[in-house]
């Protein structure tokens, strides 16, 4: 069985600072994908970034980067130069190869202070 | 990214009535669609997975007779909450993925539907 753990229920960061949201995962499969989604108060789930288990380089998408440490089974999301609009819930998720469904973590509520 | 729409965005209904929620993929063919339920301050809970043209696969504990799912085309899936009761009040989110396109690993989500049963 797969499991995603996000240990930070809430994070408070000053605007323009970088922030790291933690995510650890557990799976016995060798081929899998890791995802990060942002959910603002409106409820919409916004895809941020994807990392494949065989990708040699860490994924980056604009201000988002994924710090992938395969041996430690961690996939932390790094947001550089945080903005007020980054305040939202953030979910880490995983899907193993051949499976259809995503397994989600509990989420981290990020609040950016001005 | 790809666009998934949901309709309605919110609905209030009386107990005992049925409510239909539509999920559409607007710019890609969704071979697989997912329906989630989310309670306040909690994570998403997968209710069922549906593949176009076949019956939905429900997660353990989800009543298939209460939550009817139809995935009749590659762009449309519907969730019908039958004989809704106050405990069915929740935020329902659909998601879509094109499993035939190997380069598309991403699963895209609709904006969600808030259901309140009085």
């Amino acid at each position: 069985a797969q499991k995603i753990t996000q240990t930070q229920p809430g994070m408070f960061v000053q605007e323009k600072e970088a922030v790291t949201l933690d995510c650890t995962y557990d799976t016995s499969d060798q081929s899998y994908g890791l995802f990060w989604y942002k959910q603002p108060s409106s409820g919409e789930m916004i895809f941020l970034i994807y990392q494949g288990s065989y990708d040699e380089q860490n994924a980056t998408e604009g201000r988002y980067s994924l710090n992938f440490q395969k041996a430690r089974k961690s996939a932390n999301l790094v947001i550089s130069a945080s903005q007020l609009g980054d305040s939202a819930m953030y979910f880490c998720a995983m899907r193993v190869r051949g499976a259809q469904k995503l397994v989600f973590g509990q989420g981290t509520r990020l609040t950016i202070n001005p | 990214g790809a666009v998934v729409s949901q309709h309605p965005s919110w609905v209030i209904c009386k107990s005992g009535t049925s409510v239909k929620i539509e999920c559409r993929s607007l710019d890609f063919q969704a071979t697989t669609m997912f329906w989630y339920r989310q309670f306040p301050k909690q994570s998403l809970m997968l209710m069922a997975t549906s593949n176009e043209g076949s019956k939905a696969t429900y997660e353990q504990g989800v009543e298939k007779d209460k939550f009817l799912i139809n995935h009749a085309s590659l762009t449309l899936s519907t969730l019908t909450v039958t004989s809704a009761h106050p405990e069915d009040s929740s935020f329902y989110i659909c998601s879509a993925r094109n499993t035939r396109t190997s380069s598309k690993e991403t699963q895209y989500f609709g904006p969600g539907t808030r259901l309140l049963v009085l």
Side-chain angles (χ1 to χ4, degrees):
Chain A
Q2 295 80 42
K3 185 178 180 181
I4 293 283
T5 302
Q6 295 178 253
T7 58
Q8 306 154 310
M11 289 274 288
F12 295 85
V13 175
Q14 287 297 120
E15 189 180 8
K16 300 182 182 178
E17 289 185 352
V19 57
T20 298
L21 304 182
D22 295 341
C23 172
T24 57
Y25 59 93
D26 188 23
T27 180
S28 57
D29 288 84
Q30 297 300 309
S31 181
Y32 49 87
L34 296 157
F35 304 78
W36 276 93
Y37 287 89
K38 172 185 178 181
Q39 187 180 42
S41 56
S42 61
E44 181 181 6
M45 292 285 284
I46 302 169
F47 165 72
L48 295 179
I49 197 166
Y50 166 81
Q51 177 88 40
S53 60
Y54 291 115
D55 293 342
E56 295 185 353
Q57 294 196 345
N58 288 343
T60 60
E61 289 287 347
R63 293 187 299 114
Y64 305 107
S65 60
L66 199 151
N67 184 359
F68 182 44
Q69 298 187 40
K70 195 170 183 177
R72 299 177 63 179
K73 293 190 175 180
S74 74
N76 298 339
L77 176 70
V78 180
I79 305 175
S80 63
S82 58
Q83 302 171 356
L84 295 178
D86 293 333
S87 295
M89 279 291 287
Y90 288 80
F91 290 97
C92 179
M94 174 175 66
R95 181 175 61 233
V96 299
R97 186 185 181 94
Q100 290 188 317
K101 63 183 182 182
L102 283 172
V103 176
F104 282 91
Q106 308 93 311
T108 295
R109 178 165 294 281
L110 175 64
T111 302
I112 308 298
N113 296 315
Chain B
V3 179
V4 176
S5 71
Q6 254 181 270
H7 178 79
S9 56
W10 61 272
V11 58
I12 301 173
C13 69
K14 292 182 178 180
S15 184
T17 60
S18 293
V19 176
K20 178 184 282 189
I21 302 170
E22 291 187 349
C23 177
R24 295 181 184 271
S25 58
L26 298 184
D27 54 359
F28 69 104
Q29 292 184 328
T31 52
T32 305
M33 284 187 166
F34 307 84
W35 286 95
Y36 294 83
R37 185 175 181 176
Q38 187 180 29
F39 292 106
K41 299 185 179 181
Q42 293 189 20
S43 188
L44 280 72
M45 182 191 78
L46 180 64
M47 299 174 66
T49 301
S50 71
N51 293 297
E52 184 260 340
S54 61
K55 289 185 179 181
T57 301
Y58 289 81
E59 294 298 301
Q60 193 172 10
V62 178
E63 299 176 62
K64 59 182 66 177
D65 293 331
K66 181 165 188 60
F67 299 100
L68 301 178
I69 292 171
N70 185 289
H71 190 170
S73 77
L74 286 172
T75 59
L76 174 64
S77 176
T78 60
L79 167 67
T80 301
V81 183
T82 62
S83 187
H85 291 284
E87 57 265 29
D88 298 324
S89 299
S90 189
F91 187 56
Y92 293 87
I93 312 176
C94 75
S95 177
R97 182 174 168 232
N98 185 341
T99 55
R100 294 179 192 162
T101 308
S102 59
S103 61
K104 276 289 185 185
E105 290 288 346
T106 303
Q107 187 170 314
Y108 294 96
F109 287 80
T113 297
R114 298 191 186 279
L115 171 63
L116 177 60
V117 184
L118 301 177

